[in-house]
Structure formats: C-alpha cells, structure tokens
Amino acid sequence: MSDGQSGATPPATPSASTMSEDLRAGALIYHRHPRPGKLEIQATKPLGNQRDLALAYSPGVAAACEAIHADPAEAANLTTRANLVAVVSNGTAVLGLGNIGPLASKPVMEGKAVLFKKFAGIDVFDIEIDANEIDKIVTVVAALEPTFGGINLEDIKAPECFEVERLLRERMSIPVFHDDQHGTAIIVGAAVRNGLELSGKSIAEVKIVASGAGAAALACLNLLVSLGARRENIFVSDIKGVVYKGRTELMDPWKEPYAQETSARTLDEIIEGADVFLGLSAGGVLKPEMVAKMAPRPLIMALANPFPEIMPELAKQVRPDAMICTGRSDFPNQVNNVLCFPYIFRGALDCGATTINEEMKHAAVEAIAALARETPSDVVARAYGGETRRFGADSLIPSPFDPRLILRIAPAVARAANETGVATRPITDLEAYSESLTRFVFRSGFLMKPLFTAAKADPKRVVYAEGEDERVLRAAQVVLEEGLAKPILIGRPSVIENRIQRFGLTVKPGRDFEVIDPADDPRYKDYWSLYHQLAGRGGVTPDTARTIVRSNTSVIASLALHRGDADAMICGLEGAYMRHLRYVRQIIGLAPGVRDYSALSLVLTAKGAYFICDTQVKPDPCAEEIAEMAILAANHVRRFGIDPKIALLSHSDFGTYDTESARKMRRALELLTEQRPDLEADGEMQADTALSETLRDLKLSSSRLQGEANVLVMPNLDAANIGFQLTRMLADALPVGPILIGAAKPAHILSRDVTVRGVVNMTSVAVVEAQTVQS
C-alpha cells in the first residue's frame, strides 16, 4: 500500500499481480452467475392483490407521504430510511488497486453492502460517483440525506477524504463515517489497548512510530491521542522520510500536527525504543534489524496489504516477545474493519444518531477490546478449523467471525450516543435492546426468549450424556454464563479438563458443574443395580448391567434422571437416534396415560416458525397416536409463547380422497376434537391448504383453523422426516430439536449434527419442561 491510500479494510482486494489465475476465474464466475452482481432488492410487504398495490402505491401511499410531511421523524417508522446506508465512493483509492475509478470500484462497494447486510441486517445502496473535486463530491452526497440514515464513505483518496468527511459532517444531520479512516482506527485502538495491558505499559508513556501518513494512519494516530497517547511520543515516517518540523515536501494540514522537532530522517532512526509500530504503508519497509531495536514486548501492527511491513515470522525471529497484528486473515490478530463498521452503524441507526462522535468511537474500542478478553466463541473455533485462541499475544482482538460483536458494540455505541445527546431516538432500555440484537446472531433468538426467561427464573439440573463433546462443553459455558441450568457432564474428568483448556473455556469441573465419571463414581453399584432391576426382563444380566453402566453414557444419564440425581437429560450427539431411545424407553418410561413417544421438530424459516411431528419415532402411527402427539405437541408449543394452530396433513383435502391414510387423519381429528375441543385444529388437509387461509376458505369456509397453521402433524414418519429435511435445506431453515414428547421425565435425544446453540436451545426446553413436571 503506497502512502496516501487508506488502511486495512475489508474486503481485502488483491491486486492483479498477486491474484492466482484460479482465484481470478472463480471470482469472475462468482460475480457473473447465476445473475450478475451480488445484490438485489426485495419487497418486504405483500403485493399479491389489488388492495396490496393500493396500499403500497397509489392511492394509499399518500397517507404515508402526508404523515412524513407533517412530522419528518415519521420517516423512520414509515420507510426504510432508518435502516438504509449509502456506501459512497469515487474509486480513487481502492485497496490494492489504487485509482481505478467509480465504475470499476462498484464490485467492491457491492461487497461492502453485503457485509453490512450479513453482519448487521443493514440495507445498503452502493453509490459510485464520477467526481474527484471535493466540492462536487460533497454536493452530491449531501443531497442524498433525505434517502439515507447514514453515509459510509469508502475508498476516497487522501488528503481529499479528510475534507470531504469534515464538510459532510458539518452539512448533514445523519452519521457520516469514512470507514477507511475510522474503522481501521477503532480496531487498532482495541489492539493497542489490549497489547499494552499484556505488556504492562501505559498509553500515555509509550513511544509510537508510524510508517505511512495516509487516511487510515492519521485517523489511527488521532484516535490513539484521544485515548491518551501524547503527540510528543509519536513519530511518523512516510515515503519522503520522517515528518519533522519545517518539512515542506508532501505535507498537509492533517499531517502537520505529527511533525517532530528532530534531526532523524529515516524510519530506522526513529524506531529505536519504540513500544508500538503502526504500519499502514508498504510491504517490507520494517526490517528485522529495526525490530531488534524496539522496546521490550513491542506491539507491531504491520497492516499493509497484501504484504505487511514485516512478515510475522521474520519479526518473531529477532523478537520472540513481540505481539504482531496484520491485515491478513492467514495470521493471528487480523485488523479487519468488518469487526466494527456494521455494528457501529447498527447502534447509530437504531438510536437515530445525528453523527458518530469521538465518544461513540471510544465505546466501540472498549467493547471490542473487552470481547477479546472473553471466553472464545465456538463459531470462531469452527471458522479456524477447531483452533481456539484465548486472550493473549496471538489474540489481542476478536475474530471477525465472533457472533457476539454486534451484541457488544451496537449497545455500547447507542449508549454513548444517548449520553452525548446525539441520539434523536434514545434507547431507554439498553438491556432489552441488547436482547433484541440476538436476532442477528441466532435466528432462534426471539423464539427462544420466553424459554430462556423461564429457565433463568428456576434453573434445573441437566445431565449431558456426551460430556466430553466439544459442543457440550461450549454449551455448558453458555448455559452457566446465562444462568439457564445447572449442568452435569458425563465423561472422564481428565479428558473434560484437557478439552476445556484446549478450547479456551473458563468453566471448571467441581466448581461450576458436576462430573459423573463412568469409571469411578461412588454411585456405580446403585446405578447398575437399578439398571438390572429395570431391564432385567429384557435380557440384561447383572454382568451386562455392570458393563453397560461403565460404558454407555446415555444409560448413565437416564439412570441419573430416573433416580432424581438430575431433573432433565440430553443425549444423542453420537450414535443413532433409536439406539438412545431404546435406553430412554427402558429406564425413563412413558408419562402416565401416554401410548408412545413421538418427536417434535421446529424449523425457523424466513416466513416464521413451524413445528413438525413425528419426525423420528413412529413409522406409521394410528389415529389414536396422531391425536395424542398433536395434544402433547400443543403443550410444548405453548412454552414458546405461541398459540398452537394444528393441521393434520394428508394428500387428501377435506375428503377429496377416500384412502386409508386420509381416513386415519379424519379419525385423528375426531379424537382430537373430543379430547381437546379447546385446541384450534383441523384436517385432513394438504400442506398448502394448511399454510394459506385464502386457499382454505376456497375449499372449506367453515374450517376450525384460522390463519396459518404452525403445528404440522404428518400421517407417517416418511412424510414428517422428508418434509422437515426439505424445509430445513431448501428454505435455509434453522432447526430446533427434536423435542422428545411423551417421556415420564424430560429426556431429549438430539441429532448428530446439532450445533452448540442447538444444545443451548434444547437445554432451555428441557429446563422449562422440568419446571412443569416438578410443579
């Protein structure tokens, strides 16, 4: 990166000389197919009939226009403006490509748009303008204020970018944020904050040496000064050498404050004794012999892309004590602007901020630095092939993949906006706001909230059969942090402790959770004796019982639940579902009056939440069993805070077929209506009839089911499992469950591909069920 260009910012765009032919070809195919570009516009409201059109456009749209004319603040409630950002560039400083112009920069700006949407749910119009003069840029962008809630300036070269941003901030009453400057600066600020904490140094005392004096470098230095660094301790070098008092060549008003009274003229002369090196210049400018002259435990931020000012391995050879950050994803401590810009805008837009001020930037710095010191996320571990980096020299800043970034940064930014008086819609309940942001992290966030709240109110003991599994260990960490349950893990203590350490978790066996060691538990004799008593007539001899209770963790979990040593159990992360169900059936048994088990699976789609049963257990349930599973499913659905609307599905639509399967579903409806007349249910009906009230009215205007069904009861296991899997894959739906219904005590068998969040979700389901059973 040459001096004058911006700092490290995603997406890292390789230059033509560094890109492989394979990557080039793949990128072109990616952008061309199946349709050109990376963006589309979708309607968020129905447009299916004449009334919809009348509401969306003429004449109904006039009502919205009049409301905004009377009160401009209503634009936030009646239009997308409060969630719409403009990514604006003239293409004069595209990372790795230089001044390629506005049209050629469009793929980069589209890329920035999809990052906004992916990470923070913010809609973006990318706007490439053919203008290089400051006044023209400012005039064009300022005129866009009625359309947008915020402006993200991108890839505009220095020094023009400084003046463009300053003038726009003065003229506009919405946030204007030059990400190349401030995004990089915020991440650098967080890295410096944590690096100095590890080295035991004070920001007011450290010597900082910068290579590069472009937009990003100067923004970084300005932010560090506002965080407490002293200008007299900051030395800057650019392509013309050291920035010193009296220098005239390649100087400007933004660089001038960092001019030092010094005779030094080269980077080599000013690097001696430096505590922090900030590189936003060109690859290879920091030599190993320069690194050798730095202060103890130096922080080296070599952020030039694609080649850093010094490669980390070279720096480590001469200074093993160095902490190193780069702009590259293949090294630890990547300074990547996607760590902050989506979430800063999220917080600013949600509170209606008129600007992004220094206090809001400081809040983002502290939030990012604090997150790096938290327990690592399982999502991050998966992104890096299972490797977990705990806070330290190789983990000064969070990973861009950490899903908690939005939960930490956006509320911190909104709080700072509130406190500094720039929020036009101040968020009064920041805790509730933080919870609402989980919709961007976990699609199950809103739906699970009632269960999480109930679980926290009275946590129960949950025993996990696969206690050595990484997903269970990470889930236990989350469960304890959120106060959802009291975990009991089955596994070898030494293995559990080693894996906790490897995964960077902070929970401790014995202190935070109980461990049942299959090889050495004082209750072993009681357990195998109980198992023999329960399963002896099923061919389980005393010797067999002893062996199984030493080796089968699902049996141990079931016995713990049966004896009252736990209130609920979770198993199934390893092995076939029916094998686990066999032991639950043997040991836990059925609830009083229940004919058999069934499984309820939840899928969260873009359209809403749908419960499907039975997806796991009964190959061909009879009418009585179908009615029973519908009633039991309704009880579980209500725990989610949802009123069950039950559809008994079939190939037949209210008598259009007279097959055995159709008659079974009709009989099931009769039984269901007799036993639970209070439930809203109908059938037999086809799937589209269940999901569309309009279609249903055309076929049977007297249906007992109103609106859209949310509990879909299938006629057999084939239909249920196929329907569940198709919905999950084709609709990119998030699964929750399966929830085992009909057991005497809360026992749940998960799927082998369940995620950490899936385990956490099912833990809350099990706890709430245990509360109900015990009450």
Side-chain angles (χ1 to χ4, degrees), residues 204-520:
E205 303 299 326
V206 295
K207 178 181 178 180
I208 300 172
V209 172
S211 173
L218 293 176
C220 290
L221 295 177
N222 292 340
L223 184 61
L224 292 176
V225 168
S226 73
L227 289 170
R230 297 204 299 234
R231 289 184 187 273
E232 58 265 33
N233 295 337
I234 298 174
F235 294 79
V236 178
S237 174
D238 62 13
I239 57 175
K240 295 300 180 181
V242 173
V243 176
Y244 61 88
K245 292 285 187 184
R247 192 181 110 172
T248 58
E249 191 175 12
L250 208 62
M251 292 296 290
D252 56 55
W254 299 277
K255 195 182 301 183
E256 187 64 41
Y258 295 101
Q260 291 279 19
E261 197 72 60
T262 178
S263 60
R265 295 295 183 265
T266 66
L267 177 61
D268 184 52
E269 293 176 88
I270 59 176
I271 195 68
E272 186 166 0
D275 298 282
V276 178
F277 170 81
L278 174 63
L280 284 152
S281 54
V285 301
L286 183 66
K287 307 301 181 185
E289 54 269 25
M290 298 180 189
V291 174
K293 295 192 289 186
M294 294 181 71
R297 297 208 73 185
L299 173 59
I300 299 171
M301 311 197 72
L303 306 182
N305 260 326
F307 302 111
E309 283 79 1
I310 187 168
M311 296 299 287
E313 60 269 23
L314 286 179
K316 284 287 189 180
Q317 285 176 9
V318 293
R319 293 302 298 270
D321 61 335
M323 295 171 282
I324 305 171
C325 301
T326 71
R328 290 172 44 153
S329 60
D330 53 344
F331 293 114
N333 293 321
Q334 183 194 14
V335 174
N336 189 327
N337 290 14
V338 80
L339 279 164
C340 71
F341 72 80
Y343 317 119
I344 289 173
F345 269 98
R346 182 74 276 159
L349 291 172
D350 289 341
C351 69
T354 57
T355 187
I356 295 174
N357 58 28
E358 206 69 11
E359 292 82 0
M360 294 160 74
K361 289 189 283 184
H362 285 191
V365 168
E366 292 303 320
I368 293 166
L371 180 56
R373 300 192 292 271
E374 291 188 32
T375 303
S377 161
D378 68 291
V379 177
V380 175
R382 289 201 305 273
Y384 289 104
E387 180 183 358
T388 301
R389 296 183 180 130
R390 288 179 287 178
F391 176 59
D394 286 338
S395 188
L396 297 174
I397 45 182
S399 161
F401 298 103
D402 198 314
R404 299 167 297 182
L405 285 161
I406 193 170
L407 304 179
R408 305 296 186 270
I409 299 173
V413 168
R415 180 184 293 109
N418 290 355
E419 293 171 351
T420 55
V422 299
T424 61
R425 301 187 301 275
I427 298 172
T428 55
D429 190 341
L430 285 164
E431 183 176 348
Y433 173 59
S434 296
E435 289 186 6
S436 74
L437 293 171
T438 60
R439 69 188 186 276
F440 298 113
V441 181
F442 309 113
R443 284 183 287 172
S444 58
F446 277 144
L447 188 72
M448 297 302 301
K449 186 177 179 180
L451 280 88
F452 277 33
T453 301
K456 290 177 183 179
D458 185 17
K460 299 298 182 184
R461 299 165 300 165
V462 178
V463 59
Y464 300 86
E466 293 89 0
E468 297 176 1
D469 190 285
E470 178 182 355
R471 292 164 292 177
V472 169
L473 292 169
R474 292 189 181 279
Q477 175 91 39
V478 175
V479 163
L480 286 163
E481 288 176 351
E482 299 190 12
L484 298 174
K486 301 170 184 176
I488 302 169
L489 273 58
I490 300 175
R492 294 162 292 179
S494 60
V495 173
I496 290 173
E497 289 179 5
N498 288 338
R499 291 182 179 178
I500 285 173
Q501 185 174 6
R502 186 200 310 168
F503 303 143
L505 307 178
T506 59
V507 292
K508 290 187 180 299
R511 183 193 71 184
D512 299 313
F513 59 86
E514 179 187 347
V515 174
I516 297 177
D517 181 0
D520 185 21

Side-chain angles (χ1 to χ4, degrees), residues 47 49-65:
L47 293 168
N49 53 48
Q50 186 61 42
R51 178 168 174 78
D52 289 344
L53 293 175
L55 293 171
Y57 199 54
S58 181
V61 71
C65 295

